[in-house]
Amino acid sequence: MFTLFQRDDCHLCDQALAVLAQARVPGLDSVFVDDDAALEARYGLRVPVLRDAQGRELDWPFDVAVVEAWIR
């Protein structure tokens, strides 16, 4: 339902995961962009990025209130 695009060893990604856990985002999946050239090109400088099933994207930084409003 929701996908977080992230990198290995990314402190901002770790912060984003904590925010998403606090917001109780349902059906969260993580995709690491490091090993995929197309994903690296699209998200490399933007991670972490949250995407929903409709393709909307929410770029970091975001907080619990922003995420809760965005997922509704």
Side-chain angles (χ1 to χ4, degrees):
M1 189 169 190
F2 294 94
T3 303
L4 180 68
F5 292 94
Q6 61 179 344
R7 293 183 170 282
D8 287 324
D9 301 319
C10 168
H11 74 281
L12 296 177
C13 301
D14 294 340
Q15 291 176 19
L17 284 169
V19 168
L20 298 173
Q22 289 176 336
R24 298 177 189 243
V25 174
L28 181 63
D29 189 22
S30 290
V31 173
F32 291 85
V33 303
D34 299 310
D35 296 327
D36 184 309
L39 292 177
E40 172 71 28
R42 182 171 179 175
Y43 295 107
L45 297 176
R46 294 175 51 205
V47 293
V49 176
L50 182 62
R51 185 171 70 186
D52 69 8
Q54 291 76 37
R56 295 183 311 144
E57 294 183 342
L58 180 63
D59 286 22
W60 183 260
F62 45 77
D63 60 21
V64 173
V66 168
V67 170
E68 288 175 341
W70 188 78
I71 64 175
R72 289 193 167 88

